[in-house]
Amino acid sequence: MDKQKLQDLLLDGEIKEFNNLVESNNGDVDLSGLRLRSIDLRKITFKDLNLEGAYLRASDLRGLDLSKANLKHASIKDAKIAGVLFPSNIDPEEIMLSLIYGTRLRAKELN
């Protein structure tokens, strides 16, 4: 799946078409390294989500289950995160630092 096409769909608000593409790829979504600033991601569907290094400033993530997502080195400054389930390998302090200062999330290696 072409990451640029996925990014363009999200930037244009074409969530239905985005979800159709994701479903045709068994729910695996690679959005690593993309700039997804100020995008409402609440209605995206996914099974495995890779957001490694993604720039999510001011994005709306409310209510998403990101517990199995790869958020290593992602930035969530000013994002809306109420009700988000974050991966267990990211400390709450890391989440707050990224939310307030825009630092990249550091994830612990899982054994």
Side-chain angles (χ1 to χ4, degrees):
M1 215 176 337
D2 180 27
K3 286 198 298 188
Q4 185 61 49
K5 178 162 179 67
L6 291 174
Q7 181 180 24
D8 290 343
L9 288 172
L10 290 173
L11 290 171
D12 293 339
E14 300 291 337
I15 301 300
K16 187 173 182 177
E17 189 174 339
F18 174 89
N19 287 337
N20 288 338
L21 272 176
V22 170
E23 287 175 25
S24 69
N25 198 44
N26 297 320
D28 297 335
V29 184
D30 183 6
L31 301 175
S32 59
L34 295 181
R35 297 196 178 278
L36 302 172
R37 183 179 179 153
S38 302
I39 296 177
D40 186 347
L41 298 174
R42 292 176 295 168
K43 294 181 182 175
I44 67 168
T45 57
F46 57 88
K47 182 175 167 186
D48 291 316
L49 182 61
N50 183 1
L51 287 166
E52 183 173 350
Y55 183 70
L56 301 164
R57 183 176 185 148
S59 290
D60 195 341
L61 309 172
R62 291 178 291 176
L64 286 177
D65 180 356
L66 300 175
S67 60
K68 295 183 179 153
N70 179 1
L71 292 172
K72 185 177 181 180
H73 305 298
S75 176
I76 58 170
K77 183 172 174 56
D78 298 328
K80 296 175 184 167
I81 62 166
V84 172
L85 184 57
F86 284 95
S88 61
N89 66 334
I90 298 178
D91 289 330
E93 294 84 11
E94 287 291 326
I95 295 166
M96 290 307 298
L97 286 170
S98 186
L99 188 64
I100 296 169
Y101 300 110
T103 59
R104 297 290 179 164
L105 293 168
R106 292 176 289 187
K108 297 177 189 172
E109 296 297 323
L110 295 176
N111 297 331

